Amino acid sequence: MPRVDIPVTTITRDGVAGAAEVTGDPANGHAVANTSGRTVLVVSNSSVDTAQDVTLVTQATVDGQDVADRTVSVPFGETRYIGGLPEGVYGREIHIDITSADLSFQAFTFPR
């Protein structure tokens, strides 16, 4: 099955309402548009006792070698804001792998 899309909300000077939250899908993973590295991914962990990992899949190579994926640990009951993900490393669409449905996602971007 295809990855579950995380819609991106553009932040404006007039302000925006919070973005819709997408529940984690460990079976299919997720994808979010990467707007020239300006995308901010908000990851919340609803677990009451377990930290959860979010793996951001890289799409770059250096000298023919794959660049290692980035893993971010989200402590139980907390939220992490992840951003500054260059297109040259993560692509125009960031692929996200998880192992728990305790995670939920929102995504924001800033206009140029």
Side-chain angles (χ1 to χ4, degrees):
M1 293 196 78
R3 291 180 176 270
V4 176
D5 186 51
I6 301 168
V8 179
T9 299
T10 301
I11 295 176
T12 68
R13 289 187 182 105
D14 293 328
V16 296
E21 229 175 38
V22 175
T23 302
D25 184 340
N28 297 304
H30 295 272
V32 63
N34 191 5
T35 53
S36 300
R38 296 186 320 271
T39 297
V40 176
L41 187 63
V42 180
V43 186
S44 298
N45 180 357
S46 64
S47 173
V48 296
D49 62 1
T50 305
Q52 301 294 338
D53 288 340
V54 176
T55 300
L56 306 170
V57 180
T58 61
Q59 299 179 28
T61 60
V62 175
D63 282 339
Q65 303 295 311
D66 291 337
V67 174
D69 295 340
R70 174 174 297 280
T71 299
V72 177
S73 181
V74 182
F76 61 90
E78 293 193 19
T79 299
R80 289 291 182 261
Y81 300 83
I82 305 166
L85 304 169
E87 281 184 8
V89 176
Y90 296 94
R92 299 187 109 194
E93 180 179 83
I94 302 166
H95 291 176
I96 303 161
D97 292 335
I98 61 173
T99 58
S100 173
D102 286 337
L103 295 171
S104 59
F105 299 92
Q106 294 175 299
F108 296 90
T109 190
F110 300 92
R112 283 192 182 252

